Amino acid sequence: MEREVEVKAFYWRGDHLLLLDQRRLPSEEVWLELRDHIGVAEAIKGMAVRGAPAIGCVAAYGFLLGIKAGEKSDRVYDTLKNTRPTAYNLFWALDRMMSALSSGRDLEEEAKSIEEEDYRANRRIGELGMELVPEGARILTHCNTGALATAGWGTALGVIRSAHHSGKKVEVWVDETRPYLQGARLTAWELMKEDIPHRLITDSTAGFLMRKGLVDLVIVGADRITANGDVANKIGTYALSVLAKEHGVPFYVAAPSSTFDLSTEKGEDIPIEERGEEELKNCLGRPIAPEKTPALHIAFDVTPAQNVTAIITEKGIIKPVEREVIERCLS
Ligand code: MRU
C-alpha cells in the first residue's frame, strides 16, 4: 500500500532492523541498528520503540533475527515476551511468529505481513473514524498513537490525520503525558511535521478545557482491550474518560483487532506495567524530586467499557461497547 506519511518508527533491512530511537526525539533523530533479538528486546523494554502495534511489529522482526541466528525458538520467544507486560500486540505478534515457525511458513514474509497488515488496519481505522469527527472539531488526545506507535499512520492520531487529509478543519489538544512525555515529544512532533493545528497542554488542563466547552471529542489508543470492552491505555486515560462523561464529551478509542485480548474477560485481569521510579523523579536527565522521595510509577490504567462511546477498529465501529457487539464486529 502506498505510504503518504514519511514518519516511520522502523525499517526492516533484510539482515537487521533500523529503529528510530524515540527516547531522543524531538531534539535528535538517531537510528539504532539492531542485529539480534536481545538488542530488540532491550529496545522494547527501554522504550526506544513504544506504542502497542509498533512493539508487536518490532518483536516479530526480533523473533526472526533470533531464529535466523540459530537460537532456540522458546528462548527467543520468552526473551521478547518478558519485555513489557500490558501491550497485547506484543504477545499477539509473537504467537503468530511461533505458529508460522511450527507450520513451516516463511518467517520473514510473516513479519512483513504483520507490519503491512497493521499499516492497512490504521488506514481503515482512519477512514472509518473520521466520519465521527465533525467539521471544526477540537479533539483531545493522550500519549502518542501516531505513525511512531504503529507500522505507520496511527490509530487515534490516524483518525485525526485522516480527518485533516480529507480537508476537515480540526484542532488538537495534545496532553503532554507525564512522565514519559509521549504527547509533548512525539505527538506534537508528528503534528508539526504535517502542519496539523495543535496546542500542547499539561495533562491536568483537560478538565478545565472540557468545563469551558473547548473539547468536542476525545480520541485515544489502546494497549489491550478485553472481551467485555474494558480498555488499558496510558496512565491518565481513565481520568480523561471520567471527565468526558461528566461533561458529555464523546470518548472514542481507536485500535486494530490485534489489540483485542478476547481470552481475558475484564480490565481487572490485565497485567499493568509498573516502571522504575527514576522515570518519574527525573525529567530529561535532571532530577525533579528529592532523591530519596518514594514514588509510584504505574504506566497504564483501565477505562471501563461503559465510559467508552465507541471503539473504532479496521473491521468496523463497535457501539455500544458490549461483549456481543465486539464479538460480532471482530468475527
Ligand atoms: O508506554 P507506551 O508509550 O508504549 O504507551 C503507549 C500507549 O499507551 C498508546 O496509547 C497505545 O499503545 C496505543 S498506540 C497506537
Side-chain angles (χ1 to χ4, degrees):
M1 196 169 193
E2 201 187 320
R3 306 268 169 143
E4 289 169 33
V5 175
E6 278 176 32
V7 174
K8 270 285 279 162
F10 58 90
Y11 292 96
W12 173 246
R13 290 292 192 231
D15 61 348
H16 67 277
L17 187 68
L18 212 49
L19 185 78
L20 180 60
D21 189 344
Q22 298 189 28
R23 297 167 297 198
R24 312 280 284 268
L25 291 172
S27 39
E28 288 175 302
E29 287 182 38
V30 175
W31 290 84
L32 306 172
E33 260 185 47
L34 304 176
R35 295 187 173 273
D36 56 42
H37 73 284
I38 306 276
V40 173
E42 281 167 2
I44 296 173
K45 204 180 176 80
M47 287 174 72
V49 61
R50 27 71 45 208
I55 290 172
C57 294
V58 163
Y61 286 118
F63 187 86
L64 169 64
L65 284 169
I67 302 303
K68 272 186 156 193
E71 302 285 341
K72 280 206 157 110
S73 59
D74 287 353
R75 289 186 61 181
V76 176
Y77 179 93
D78 286 345
T79 304
L80 289 160
K81 187 182 122 187
N82 292 325
T83 48
R84 298 195 69 189
T86 306
Y88 188 65
N89 303 61
L90 170 65
F91 312 106
W92 173 86
L94 287 172
D95 285 344
R96 198 165 140 176
M97 292 302 282
M98 260 307 214
S99 92
L101 181 67
S102 45
S103 55
R105 294 204 298 279
D106 184 311
L107 285 187
E108 185 162 353
E109 287 311 313
E110 193 72 11
K112 284 183 182 169
S113 300
I114 288 174
E115 178 184 350
E116 187 57 29
E117 285 168 29
D118 186 62
Y119 181 75
R120 284 173 190 274
N122 291 333
R123 294 303 301 261
R124 184 75 189 132
I125 287 170
E127 278 167 23
L128 292 173
M130 72 180 183
E131 301 302 326
L132 302 170
V133 178
E135 171 66 26
R138 294 151 306 171
I139 308 168
L140 193 143
T141 193
H142 192 62
C143 197
N144 173 265
T145 60
L148 291 170
T150 60
W153 201 255
T155 57
L157 207 60
V159 171
I160 294 170
R161 192 167 254 143
S162 295
H164 171 78
H165 280 246
S166 76
K168 269 187 188 162
K169 191 169 162 283
V170 294
E171 203 174 325
V172 189
W173 295 113
V174 180
D175 267 5
E176 63 175 349
T177 318
R178 274 280 295 154
Y180 212 69
L181 300 175
Q182 290 95 328
R185 295 188 302 103
L186 309 174
T187 302
W189 185 76
E190 289 198 35
L191 292 170
M192 276 301 294
K193 276 198 176 252
E194 285 196 64
D195 284 334
I196 301 178
H198 64 283
R199 275 171 95 177
L200 184 65
I201 54 171
T202 62
D203 299 346
S204 44
T205 303
F208 178 85
L209 293 180
M210 286 193 206
R211 195 166 167 82
K212 286 252 178 206
L214 296 172
V215 180
D216 299 306
L217 63 147
V218 177
I219 312 183
V220 297
D223 282 81
R224 192 186 294 227
I225 302 172
T226 53
N228 70 344
D230 290 348
V231 175
N233 192 48
K234 182 53 56 191
I235 192 82
T237 303
Y238 167 62
L240 275 179
S241 78
V242 175
L243 282 171
K245 204 171 188 180
E246 169 72 16
H247 295 94
V249 172
F251 185 92
Y252 297 115
V253 172
S257 52
S258 50
T259 301
F260 285 75
D261 172 11
L262 300 183
S263 65
T264 298
E265 267 305 299
K266 54 186 186 314
E268 286 140 61
D269 303 329
I270 299 175
I272 297 293
E273 179 176 18
E274 200 174 317
R275 293 186 63 87
E277 55 175 40
E278 70 287 351
E279 280 179 10
L280 203 64
K281 289 165 59 178
N282 293 279
C283 192
L284 305 176
R286 301 183 69 150
I288 54 165
E291 200 189 331
K292 296 219 162 97
T293 289
L296 175 65
H297 180 186
I298 309 278
F300 300 96
D301 58 27
V302 177
T303 298
Q306 67 265 24
N307 286 11
V308 181
T309 311
I311 304 178
I312 307 152
T313 79
E314 80 278 19
K315 299 192 174 192
I317 294 179
I318 296 168
K319 187 179 178 187
V321 181
E322 288 168 4
R323 182 185 310 269
E324 300 69 35
V325 188
I326 294 173
E327 277 169 11
R328 209 179 316 128
C329 179
L330 297 187
S331 64

